[in-house]
Amino acid sequence: MKHTIFRALGLVLVMTFLCGFLYTVVCTGVNQLLFPHQANGSVIEIDGKTYGSELLAQQFTKPEHLWGRPMNLDLTSFTDEDGNPAMYAWASNKSPAGEEENVLIQERIDALLEADPSMEGSPIPVDLVTVSGSGLDPEISPEAASYQVHRIAESRGISEEAVQAVIDRYTTGRWLGIFGQPRVNVLKVNLALDGILAD
């Protein structure tokens, strides 16, 4: 009986070392060596200033910016080390057949049409009116980005072609040409439109 207990305890210790320590060290080391930018959160830094992570959404509401997916934000429950409100988001958990979700979607449709009345009657891409599963999706579909081209161009006083060219520059296709969907990084497009991010 004692022999079995010691073997079991030994196995626990070995597996704890392998899975809890060695695996973590190897994965962290390989990622830092081969993919340091991605491993550290794909943070965009320009001239020593941090603009955020290309993997984490930010809320843009100005008419001259590309808008991302709606977010459920809580700016009151959490604070950072300096006592400033920290952004926390979550999925909506609303039933697609529920009245609450319908009201939220209609509010988002109204906001889009108020920002650009010329789009009245044009189909609105679903990702502009629904919250993503993570609540902080940094990317939207090319269709959702193209829907906003007129508003952005008019707000900035530039051509729609110029806005579309920036969107195209920061559009990622399917992985290996077959997996996933094409997507546009909202933060990169806005930084490029503001002249902060350049190729």
Side-chain angles (χ1 to χ4, degrees), residues 55-72:
L55 303 177
L56 189 63
Q58 295 183 32
Q59 191 171 39
F60 293 96
T61 56
K62 292 181 180 176
E64 65 268 22
H65 283 139
L66 183 67
W67 297 355
R69 292 192 78 163
M71 294 186 274
N72 287 327

Side-chain angles (χ1 to χ4, degrees), residues 142-171:
E143 295 77 20
S146 294
Y147 178 87
Q148 303 177 66
V149 165
H150 178 266
R151 184 197 75 233
I152 296 168
E154 197 171 69
S155 298
R156 291 179 176 270
I158 60 177
S159 71
E160 292 186 22
E161 291 76 18
V163 175
Q164 189 63 55
V166 173
I167 290 170
D168 292 343
R169 195 180 322 143
Y170 296 104
T171 299

Side-chain angles (χ1 to χ4, degrees), residues 1 30-31 56 59 64 79 89 94 101 105 111 123 127 131 149-150 157 160 170 175 183 189 192 194:
M1 184 67 172
V30 168
N31 286 330
L56 189 63
Q59 191 171 39
E64 65 268 22
T79 57
K94 306 275 185 213
E101 179 72 357
I105 287 174
D127 47 333
V131 177
V149 165
H150 178 266
E160 292 186 22
Y170 296 104
W175 186 61
R183 57 211 180 277
V189 168
D194 288 343

Side-chain angles (χ1 to χ4, degrees), residues 86-121:
M87 187 170 73
Y88 177 75
W90 63 94
S92 70
N93 294 327
K94 306 275 185 213
S95 165
E99 187 57 35
E100 279 184 275
E101 179 72 357
N102 292 335
V103 169
L104 286 172
I105 287 174
Q106 189 58 53
E107 287 173 2
R108 295 166 186 154
I109 290 170
D110 294 343
L112 287 166
L113 294 177
E114 183 181 343
D116 189 359
S118 70
M119 297 304 286
E120 182 79 48

Side-chain angles (χ1 to χ4, degrees), residues 28 31-32 35-45 53 55:
T28 301
N31 286 330
Q32 287 293 336
F35 311 105
H37 178 67
Q38 294 90 334
N40 292 318
S42 300
V43 173
I44 296 176
E45 283 187 274
S53 168
L55 303 177

